[in-house]
Amino acid sequence: MASGGAGGMSHQDWEPVVMVKRGARRTGESRTAATGRAMREGTATTERKFAGGTNSNHLGAGPAAHKLEEEVEDFRHASIGLDLKKAIMQARTAKGWKQKDLAHRINEKATVVNLYESGKAIPNNVIIGKMERALGVKLPRPVKPKKRPAE
């Protein structure tokens, strides 16, 4: 086995594959001797292993990458507004609850409440509705971004 190739792939066999026709060996001749003789005579065919064990056998990124680069649409998810964050925090602290307490009352994890109060959560009306019922207040809903007219 030859060493080399891609990093971490030293256990792979990177030598060319030699194909010899069946019955081409002479009596008493070993396989390696027959292969060497066939290669000297030019009767053996060889194949190189191209990108063996990798996924790099493609050329370039293709037409899909060009289409993605021309895309002008803004791909951001909706975020929690400052007014919703503050409203959740104020209502929770007015009741004397920790984030963990509110999470327990709405059957969610404490990290969900934390994400809403830090503004990193993707708004979900179901969760906001649960918070409204548990806290007993009406929370401001996030506004949906307006779609741009098609050009």
Side-chain angles (χ1 to χ4, degrees), residues 9-149:
M9 299 286 265
S10 60
H11 64 280
Q12 295 290 330
D13 181 15
W14 297 101
E15 296 298 318
V17 177
V18 179
M19 308 294 272
V20 180
K21 291 182 183 176
R22 210 173 249 288
R25 279 194 332 194
R26 295 180 181 149
T27 47
E29 189 176 31
S30 68
R31 279 191 178 173
T32 51
T35 304
R37 183 184 46 75
M39 289 184 77
R40 282 189 302 275
E41 292 174 359
T43 58
T45 59
T46 61
E47 293 180 12
R48 282 212 161 266
K49 292 182 180 178
F50 177 73
T54 65
N55 195 16
S56 61
N57 57 357
H58 62 281
L59 301 173
H66 179 68
K67 189 174 182 181
L68 280 174
E69 283 187 21
E70 288 181 349
E71 191 65 49
V72 293
E73 211 172 318
D74 190 19
F75 294 106
R76 291 187 195 166
H77 61 77
S79 61
I80 304 291
L82 184 63
D83 52 344
L84 178 60
K85 294 190 315 186
K86 284 189 175 185
I88 294 171
M89 252 187 277
Q90 288 172 351
R92 180 181 55 79
T93 53
K95 292 233 179 205
W97 293 347
K98 296 179 181 175
Q99 289 181 347
K100 185 178 178 181
D101 299 329
L102 176 59
H104 181 71
R105 284 175 164 68
I106 64 171
N107 292 325
E108 295 289 341
K109 292 183 179 180
T111 54
V112 172
V113 175
N114 188 328
L115 288 173
Y116 272 85
E117 289 188 3
S118 64
K120 296 177 184 174
I122 299 172
N124 184 343
N125 284 330
V126 174
I127 295 176
I128 295 171
K130 287 180 182 180
M131 288 182 183
E132 286 177 339
R133 284 190 298 278
L135 295 168
V137 295
K138 182 76 175 152
L139 297 172
R141 299 294 172 120
V143 291
K144 293 181 182 177
K146 294 182 180 178
K147 292 184 180 180
R148 294 182 188 171

